[in-house]
PDB file of all heavy atoms in Angstrom:
ATOM      1  N   SER A  87      -5.040 -67.986 -17.058  1.00  0.00           N
ATOM      2  CA  SER A  87      -3.763 -68.356 -17.677  1.00  0.00           C
ATOM      3  C   SER A  87      -3.570 -69.876 -17.676  1.00  0.00           C
ATOM      4  O   SER A  87      -2.762 -70.401 -18.421  1.00  0.00           O
ATOM      5  CB  SER A  87      -2.600 -67.674 -16.959  1.00  0.00           C
ATOM      6  OG  SER A  87      -2.569 -68.076 -15.605  1.00  0.00           O
ATOM      7  N   GLY A  88      -4.358 -70.586 -16.876  1.00  0.00           N
ATOM      8  CA  GLY A  88      -4.234 -72.045 -16.801  1.00  0.00           C
ATOM      9  C   GLY A  88      -4.844 -72.759 -17.986  1.00  0.00           C
ATOM     10  O   GLY A  88      -4.199 -73.598 -18.623  1.00  0.00           O
ATOM     11  N   CYS A  89      -6.090 -72.423 -18.328  1.00  0.00           N
ATOM     12  CA  CYS A  89      -6.783 -73.166 -19.384  1.00  0.00           C
ATOM     13  C   CYS A  89      -7.169 -72.306 -20.581  1.00  0.00           C
ATOM     14  O   CYS A  89      -7.663 -72.825 -21.574  1.00  0.00           O
ATOM     15  CB  CYS A  89      -8.020 -73.854 -18.823  1.00  0.00           C
ATOM     16  SG  CYS A  89      -9.359 -72.727 -18.358  1.00  0.00           S
ATOM     17  N   GLY A  90      -6.984 -70.993 -20.463  1.00  0.00           N
ATOM     18  CA  GLY A  90      -7.315 -70.107 -21.572  1.00  0.00           C
ATOM     19  C   GLY A  90      -8.753 -69.612 -21.575  1.00  0.00           C
ATOM     20  O   GLY A  90      -9.149 -68.864 -22.467  1.00  0.00           O
ATOM     21  N   PHE A  91      -9.543 -70.009 -20.586  1.00  0.00           N
ATOM     22  CA  PHE A  91     -10.916 -69.512 -20.481  1.00  0.00           C
ATOM     23  C   PHE A  91     -10.891 -67.986 -20.454  1.00  0.00           C
ATOM     24  O   PHE A  91     -10.066 -67.376 -19.789  1.00  0.00           O
ATOM     25  CB  PHE A  91     -11.569 -70.057 -19.202  1.00  0.00           C
ATOM     26  CG  PHE A  91     -12.915 -69.450 -18.898  1.00  0.00           C
ATOM     27  CD1 PHE A  91     -14.061 -69.948 -19.491  1.00  0.00           C
ATOM     28  CD2 PHE A  91     -13.023 -68.374 -18.022  1.00  0.00           C
ATOM     29  CE1 PHE A  91     -15.304 -69.398 -19.207  1.00  0.00           C
ATOM     30  CE2 PHE A  91     -14.264 -67.817 -17.730  1.00  0.00           C
ATOM     31  CZ  PHE A  91     -15.411 -68.321 -18.333  1.00  0.00           C
ATOM     32  N   ALA A  92     -11.806 -67.363 -21.194  1.00  0.00           N
ATOM     33  CA  ALA A  92     -11.919 -65.902 -21.192  1.00  0.00           C
ATOM     34  C   ALA A  92     -13.381 -65.520 -21.385  1.00  0.00           C
ATOM     35  O   ALA A  92     -14.123 -66.204 -22.105  1.00  0.00           O
ATOM     36  CB  ALA A  92     -11.068 -65.294 -22.294  1.00  0.00           C
ATOM     37  N   VAL A  93     -13.782 -64.457 -20.727  1.00  0.00           N
ATOM     38  CA  VAL A  93     -15.163 -63.987 -20.845  1.00  0.00           C
ATOM     39  C   VAL A  93     -15.202 -62.484 -20.584  1.00  0.00           C
ATOM     40  O   VAL A  93     -14.393 -61.947 -19.823  1.00  0.00           O
ATOM     41  CB  VAL A  93     -16.104 -64.744 -19.873  1.00  0.00           C
ATOM     42  CG1 VAL A  93     -15.776 -64.431 -18.422  1.00  0.00           C
ATOM     43  CG2 VAL A  93     -17.563 -64.452 -20.174  1.00  0.00           C
ATOM     44  N   ALA A  94     -16.140 -61.823 -21.245  1.00  0.00           N
ATOM     45  CA  ALA A  94     -16.425 -60.408 -20.979  1.00  0.00           C
ATOM     46  C   ALA A  94     -17.908 -60.309 -20.666  1.00  0.00           C
ATOM     47  O   ALA A  94     -18.744 -60.830 -21.407  1.00  0.00           O
ATOM     48  CB  ALA A  94     -16.069 -59.548 -22.185  1.00  0.00           C
ATOM     49  N   VAL A  95     -18.221 -59.687 -19.556  1.00  0.00           N
ATOM     50  CA  VAL A  95     -19.606 -59.487 -19.145  1.00  0.00           C
ATOM     51  C   VAL A  95     -19.827 -57.985 -19.085  1.00  0.00           C
ATOM     52  O   VAL A  95     -19.138 -57.277 -18.343  1.00  0.00           O
ATOM     53  CB  VAL A  95     -19.890 -60.139 -17.767  1.00  0.00           C
ATOM     54  CG1 VAL A  95     -21.328 -59.909 -17.355  1.00  0.00           C
ATOM     55  CG2 VAL A  95     -19.566 -61.621 -17.802  1.00  0.00           C
ATOM     56  N   CYS A  96     -20.773 -57.511 -19.883  1.00  0.00           N
ATOM     57  CA  CYS A  96     -20.991 -56.065 -19.987  1.00  0.00           C
ATOM     58  C   CYS A  96     -22.353 -55.676 -19.447  1.00  0.00           C
ATOM     59  O   CYS A  96     -23.330 -56.391 -19.619  1.00  0.00           O
ATOM     60  CB  CYS A  96     -20.873 -55.630 -21.446  1.00  0.00           C
ATOM     61  SG  CYS A  96     -19.279 -56.013 -22.170  1.00  0.00           S
ATOM     62  N   GLY A  97     -22.372 -54.508 -18.829  1.00  0.00           N
ATOM     63  CA  GLY A  97     -23.615 -53.993 -18.276  1.00  0.00           C
ATOM     64  C   GLY A  97     -23.840 -54.531 -16.879  1.00  0.00           C
ATOM     65  O   GLY A  97     -23.053 -55.301 -16.341  1.00  0.00           O
ATOM     66  N   GLY A  98     -24.899 -54.095 -16.280  1.00  0.00           N
ATOM     67  CA  GLY A  98     -25.227 -54.576 -14.951  1.00  0.00           C
ATOM     68  C   GLY A  98     -24.837 -53.592 -13.857  1.00  0.00           C
ATOM     69  O   GLY A  98     -24.300 -52.520 -14.106  1.00  0.00           O
ATOM     70  N   ARG A  99     -25.128 -53.994 -12.650  1.00  0.00           N
ATOM     71  CA  ARG A  99     -24.877 -53.184 -11.462  1.00  0.00           C
ATOM     72  C   ARG A  99     -23.562 -53.614 -10.830  1.00  0.00           C
ATOM     73  O   ARG A  99     -23.265 -54.805 -10.760  1.00  0.00           O
ATOM     74  CB  ARG A  99     -26.036 -53.399 -10.486  1.00  0.00           C
ATOM     75  CG  ARG A  99     -25.989 -52.525  -9.265  1.00  0.00           C
ATOM     76  CD  ARG A  99     -27.194 -52.828  -8.349  1.00  0.00           C
ATOM     77  NE  ARG A  99     -27.092 -52.112  -7.112  1.00  0.00           N
ATOM     78  CZ  ARG A  99     -26.330 -52.460  -6.088  1.00  0.00           C
ATOM     79  NH1 ARG A  99     -25.589 -53.548  -6.159  1.00  0.00           N
ATOM     80  NH2 ARG A  99     -26.300 -51.745  -4.989  1.00  0.00           N
ATOM     81  N   ILE A 100     -22.813 -52.652 -10.336  1.00  0.00           N
ATOM     82  CA  ILE A 100     -21.530 -52.946  -9.697  1.00  0.00           C
ATOM     83  C   ILE A 100     -21.774 -53.671  -8.366  1.00  0.00           C
ATOM     84  O   ILE A 100     -22.598 -53.248  -7.560  1.00  0.00           O
ATOM     85  CB  ILE A 100     -20.709 -51.654  -9.486  1.00  0.00           C
ATOM     86  CG1 ILE A 100     -19.311 -51.980  -8.967  1.00  0.00           C
ATOM     87  CG2 ILE A 100     -21.430 -50.677  -8.573  1.00  0.00           C
ATOM     88  CD1 ILE A 100     -18.373 -50.779  -8.930  1.00  0.00           C
ATOM     89  N   PRO A 101     -21.085 -54.783  -8.134  1.00  0.00           N
ATOM     90  CA  PRO A 101     -21.203 -55.461  -6.836  1.00  0.00           C
ATOM     91  C   PRO A 101     -20.637 -54.573  -5.717  1.00  0.00           C
ATOM     92  O   PRO A 101     -19.664 -53.837  -5.926  1.00  0.00           O
ATOM     93  CB  PRO A 101     -20.339 -56.717  -7.013  1.00  0.00           C
ATOM     94  CG  PRO A 101     -20.180 -56.896  -8.484  1.00  0.00           C
ATOM     95  CD  PRO A 101     -20.242 -55.521  -9.073  1.00  0.00           C
ATOM     96  N   ASP A 102     -21.235 -54.639  -4.547  1.00  0.00           N
ATOM     97  CA  ASP A 102     -20.803 -53.814  -3.409  1.00  0.00           C
ATOM     98  C   ASP A 102     -19.318 -53.978  -3.117  1.00  0.00           C
ATOM     99  O   ASP A 102     -18.617 -53.009  -2.830  1.00  0.00           O
ATOM    100  CB  ASP A 102     -21.615 -54.142  -2.155  1.00  0.00           C
ATOM    101  CG  ASP A 102     -23.064 -53.690  -2.263  1.00  0.00           C
ATOM    102  OD1 ASP A 102     -23.371 -52.812  -3.108  1.00  0.00           O
ATOM    103  OD2 ASP A 102     -23.897 -54.220  -1.502  1.00  0.00           O
ATOM    104  N   GLU A 103     -18.821 -55.216  -3.196  1.00  0.00           N
ATOM    105  CA  GLU A 103     -17.410 -55.482  -2.905  1.00  0.00           C
ATOM    106  C   GLU A 103     -16.493 -54.741  -3.885  1.00  0.00           C
ATOM    107  O   GLU A 103     -15.464 -54.190  -3.507  1.00  0.00           O
ATOM    108  CB  GLU A 103     -17.156 -56.988  -2.980  1.00  0.00           C
ATOM    109  CG  GLU A 103     -15.728 -57.381  -2.708  1.00  0.00           C
ATOM    110  CD  GLU A 103     -15.510 -58.890  -2.821  1.00  0.00           C
ATOM    111  OE1 GLU A 103     -16.455 -59.631  -3.175  1.00  0.00           O
ATOM    112  OE2 GLU A 103     -14.382 -59.311  -2.552  1.00  0.00           O
ATOM    113  N   ARG A 104     -16.866 -54.710  -5.156  1.00  0.00           N
ATOM    114  CA  ARG A 104     -16.045 -54.014  -6.161  1.00  0.00           C
ATOM    115  C   ARG A 104     -16.175 -52.503  -6.030  1.00  0.00           C
ATOM    116  O   ARG A 104     -15.217 -51.768  -6.239  1.00  0.00           O
ATOM    117  CB  ARG A 104     -16.417 -54.461  -7.575  1.00  0.00           C
ATOM    118  CG  ARG A 104     -16.166 -55.915  -7.815  1.00  0.00           C
ATOM    119  CD  ARG A 104     -14.690 -56.287  -7.626  1.00  0.00           C
ATOM    120  NE  ARG A 104     -14.603 -57.702  -7.311  1.00  0.00           N
ATOM    121  CZ  ARG A 104     -13.850 -58.189  -6.352  1.00  0.00           C
ATOM    122  NH1 ARG A 104     -13.073 -57.428  -5.624  1.00  0.00           N
ATOM    123  NH2 ARG A 104     -13.840 -59.481  -6.104  1.00  0.00           N
ATOM    124  N   ARG A 105     -17.363 -52.018  -5.667  1.00  0.00           N
ATOM    125  CA  ARG A 105     -17.537 -50.584  -5.418  1.00  0.00           C
ATOM    126  C   ARG A 105     -16.635 -50.150  -4.264  1.00  0.00           C
ATOM    127  O   ARG A 105     -15.937 -49.138  -4.334  1.00  0.00           O
ATOM    128  CB  ARG A 105     -18.998 -50.267  -5.101  1.00  0.00           C
ATOM    129  CG  ARG A 105     -19.259 -48.782  -4.883  1.00  0.00           C
ATOM    130  CD  ARG A 105     -20.746 -48.522  -4.602  1.00  0.00           C
ATOM    131  NE  ARG A 105     -20.978 -47.107  -4.493  1.00  0.00           N
ATOM    132  CZ  ARG A 105     -20.823 -46.400  -3.375  1.00  0.00           C
ATOM    133  NH1 ARG A 105     -20.442 -47.004  -2.256  1.00  0.00           N
ATOM    134  NH2 ARG A 105     -21.045 -45.103  -3.366  1.00  0.00           N
ATOM    135  N   ASP A 106     -16.622 -50.942  -3.199  1.00  0.00           N
ATOM    136  CA  ASP A 106     -15.749 -50.658  -2.058  1.00  0.00           C
ATOM    137  C   ASP A 106     -14.283 -50.667  -2.480  1.00  0.00           C
ATOM    138  O   ASP A 106     -13.487 -49.845  -2.016  1.00  0.00           O
ATOM    139  CB  ASP A 106     -15.976 -51.663  -0.929  1.00  0.00           C
ATOM    140  CG  ASP A 106     -17.340 -51.527  -0.266  1.00  0.00           C
ATOM    141  OD1 ASP A 106     -18.013 -50.493  -0.463  1.00  0.00           O
ATOM    142  OD2 ASP A 106     -17.747 -52.477   0.437  1.00  0.00           O
ATOM    143  N   GLN A 107     -13.926 -51.591  -3.376  1.00  0.00           N
ATOM    144  CA  GLN A 107     -12.549 -51.674  -3.856  1.00  0.00           C
ATOM    145  C   GLN A 107     -12.190 -50.423  -4.667  1.00  0.00           C
ATOM    146  O   GLN A 107     -11.099 -49.862  -4.514  1.00  0.00           O
ATOM    147  CB  GLN A 107     -12.359 -52.935  -4.701  1.00  0.00           C
ATOM    148  CG  GLN A 107     -10.926 -53.150  -5.144  1.00  0.00           C
ATOM    149  CD  GLN A 107     -10.763 -54.401  -6.003  1.00  0.00           C
ATOM    150  OE1 GLN A 107     -11.712 -55.150  -6.256  1.00  0.00           O
ATOM    151  NE2 GLN A 107      -9.545 -54.620  -6.468  1.00  0.00           N
ATOM    152  N   ILE A 108     -13.091 -49.966  -5.528  1.00  0.00           N
ATOM    153  CA  ILE A 108     -12.846 -48.734  -6.296  1.00  0.00           C
ATOM    154  C   ILE A 108     -12.648 -47.567  -5.350  1.00  0.00           C
ATOM    155  O   ILE A 108     -11.718 -46.764  -5.511  1.00  0.00           O
ATOM    156  CB  ILE A 108     -13.990 -48.458  -7.292  1.00  0.00           C
ATOM    157  CG1 ILE A 108     -13.902 -49.422  -8.479  1.00  0.00           C
ATOM    158  CG2 ILE A 108     -13.943 -47.009  -7.791  1.00  0.00           C
ATOM    159  CD1 ILE A 108     -15.037 -49.300  -9.475  1.00  0.00           C
ATOM    160  N   LEU A 109     -13.512 -47.452  -4.349  1.00  0.00           N
ATOM    161  CA  LEU A 109     -13.392 -46.348  -3.385  1.00  0.00           C
ATOM    162  C   LEU A 109     -12.069 -46.422  -2.627  1.00  0.00           C
ATOM    163  O   LEU A 109     -11.421 -45.404  -2.393  1.00  0.00           O
ATOM    164  CB  LEU A 109     -14.576 -46.344  -2.419  1.00  0.00           C
ATOM    165  CG  LEU A 109     -15.905 -45.937  -3.034  1.00  0.00           C
ATOM    166  CD1 LEU A 109     -17.052 -46.213  -2.068  1.00  0.00           C
ATOM    167  CD2 LEU A 109     -15.887 -44.475  -3.454  1.00  0.00           C
ATOM    168  N   ALA A 110     -11.648 -47.637  -2.255  1.00  0.00           N
ATOM    169  CA  ALA A 110     -10.390 -47.803  -1.522  1.00  0.00           C
ATOM    170  C   ALA A 110      -9.183 -47.468  -2.400  1.00  0.00           C
ATOM    171  O   ALA A 110      -8.233 -46.830  -1.940  1.00  0.00           O
ATOM    172  CB  ALA A 110     -10.274 -49.228  -0.977  1.00  0.00           C
ATOM    173  N   GLU A 111      -9.216 -47.887  -3.658  1.00  0.00           N
ATOM    174  CA  GLU A 111      -8.067 -47.681  -4.533  1.00  0.00           C
ATOM    175  C   GLU A 111      -8.005 -46.277  -5.142  1.00  0.00           C
ATOM    176  O   GLU A 111      -6.931 -45.740  -5.341  1.00  0.00           O
ATOM    177  CB  GLU A 111      -8.060 -48.729  -5.655  1.00  0.00           C
ATOM    178  CG  GLU A 111      -7.729 -50.115  -5.157  1.00  0.00           C
ATOM    179  CD  GLU A 111      -7.656 -51.154  -6.256  1.00  0.00           C
ATOM    180  OE1 GLU A 111      -7.512 -50.786  -7.446  1.00  0.00           O
ATOM    181  OE2 GLU A 111      -7.747 -52.358  -5.922  1.00  0.00           O
ATOM    182  N   HIS A 112      -9.153 -45.713  -5.469  1.00  0.00           N
ATOM    183  CA  HIS A 112      -9.185 -44.426  -6.156  1.00  0.00           C
ATOM    184  C   HIS A 112      -9.616 -43.270  -5.264  1.00  0.00           C
ATOM    185  O   HIS A 112      -9.462 -42.110  -5.642  1.00  0.00           O
ATOM    186  CB  HIS A 112     -10.127 -44.484  -7.370  1.00  0.00           C
ATOM    187  CG  HIS A 112      -9.704 -45.470  -8.407  1.00  0.00           C
ATOM    188  ND1 HIS A 112      -8.709 -45.216  -9.316  1.00  0.00           N
ATOM    189  CD2 HIS A 112     -10.147 -46.734  -8.676  1.00  0.00           C
ATOM    190  CE1 HIS A 112      -8.557 -46.266 -10.111  1.00  0.00           C
ATOM    191  NE2 HIS A 112      -9.407 -47.205  -9.730  1.00  0.00           N
ATOM    192  N   GLY A 113     -10.188 -43.586  -4.114  1.00  0.00           N
ATOM    193  CA  GLY A 113     -10.709 -42.554  -3.231  1.00  0.00           C
ATOM    194  C   GLY A 113     -12.076 -42.093  -3.703  1.00  0.00           C
ATOM    195  O   GLY A 113     -12.441 -42.275  -4.865  1.00  0.00           O
ATOM    196  N   PRO A 114     -12.840 -41.505  -2.791  1.00  0.00           N
ATOM    197  CA  PRO A 114     -14.185 -41.059  -3.161  1.00  0.00           C
ATOM    198  C   PRO A 114     -14.149 -39.740  -3.929  1.00  0.00           C
ATOM    199  O   PRO A 114     -13.217 -38.957  -3.796  1.00  0.00           O
ATOM    200  CB  PRO A 114     -14.871 -40.866  -1.807  1.00  0.00           C
ATOM    201  CG  PRO A 114     -13.762 -40.523  -0.876  1.00  0.00           C
ATOM    202  CD  PRO A 114     -12.564 -41.304  -1.367  1.00  0.00           C
ATOM    203  N   ALA A 115     -15.176 -39.545  -4.722  1.00  0.00           N
ATOM    204  CA  ALA A 115     -15.429 -38.243  -5.335  1.00  0.00           C
ATOM    205  C   ALA A 115     -16.574 -37.621  -4.536  1.00  0.00           C
ATOM    206  O   ALA A 115     -17.398 -38.340  -3.965  1.00  0.00           O
ATOM    207  CB  ALA A 115     -15.837 -38.406  -6.795  1.00  0.00           C
ATOM    208  N   ARG A 116     -16.588 -36.313  -4.478  1.00  0.00           N
ATOM    209  CA  ARG A 116     -17.661 -35.604  -3.767  1.00  0.00           C
ATOM    210  C   ARG A 116     -18.383 -34.696  -4.743  1.00  0.00           C
ATOM    211  O   ARG A 116     -17.825 -34.269  -5.740  1.00  0.00           O
ATOM    212  CB  ARG A 116     -17.086 -34.793  -2.621  1.00  0.00           C
ATOM    213  CG  ARG A 116     -16.414 -35.668  -1.605  1.00  0.00           C
ATOM    214  CD  ARG A 116     -16.319 -35.048  -0.231  1.00  0.00           C
ATOM    215  NE  ARG A 116     -15.500 -35.862   0.631  1.00  0.00           N
ATOM    216  CZ  ARG A 116     -15.912 -36.962   1.253  1.00  0.00           C
ATOM    217  NH1 ARG A 116     -17.130 -37.364   1.106  1.00  0.00           N
ATOM    218  NH2 ARG A 116     -15.096 -37.653   2.010  1.00  0.00           N
TER     219      ARG A 116
END
């Protein structure tokens, strides 16, 4: 919001930190 920089990065492997965040926010599936 400061300078208007924007980017979309598609594909790739989920970083461990973000995977942990998904599990914390959404809970695990079994």
Side-chain angles (χ1 to χ4, degrees):
S87 61
C89 70
F91 172 84
V93 66
V95 180
C96 301
R99 186 180 174 281
I100 186 171
D102 291 340
E103 180 181 3
R104 297 300 156 225
R105 182 179 184 274
D106 292 345
Q107 185 181 358
I108 286 176
L109 290 169
E111 289 183 19
H112 298 281
R116 298 203 188 280

